[in-house]
Amino acid sequence: MLAKLTSKNQITLPKAIISAFKGTEYFDVTQEEGRIVLAPMRVTPAKTWSLADAEAYVEKMRRLRMPLDTTDPEVWLERMNTDRSEAIWEKMDRLGITEQDIADAIEWARRG
């Protein structure tokens, strides 16, 4: 089957191919031996933590005698449910870690 690359670097995949991956919205794209390889991926939403989870965390830290800046489960619940991805990307930028570094690390780990 033929698929054309558009001027916006987009490819429409043939219906006959996509029908085998019903419900798939995301694909991991890699290059292997001069070929473009698409692997279906499932994206799962981040876990939403409950107050009971936060209370259990505080209690576990107490049992382990780990220092906490607060033992208020409400504070910990807010921290646990905060999207920290932007902060992670900012820290990686400060450290000079690139997306290619991450891809290389994943490839290295998969060769394991």
Side-chain angles (χ1 to χ4, degrees), residues 44-93:
T44 56
K47 177 177 173 33
T48 301
W49 300 94
S50 68
L51 185 57
D53 294 323
E55 290 168 343
Y57 174 78
V58 169
E59 183 55 35
K60 181 178 180 180
M61 294 299 105
R62 281 183 179 149
R63 279 196 319 273
L64 295 172
R65 295 192 173 107
M66 299 294 292
L68 297 173
D69 62 335
T70 178
T71 56
D72 182 351
E74 294 283 344
V75 172
W76 283 103
L77 179 61
E78 183 177 338
R79 290 177 181 175
M80 293 163 89
N81 284 325
T82 299
D83 178 7
R84 309 230 21 233
S85 60
E86 194 60 39
I88 291 168
W89 283 109
E90 288 172 7
K91 184 171 184 178
M92 287 173 33
D93 282 343

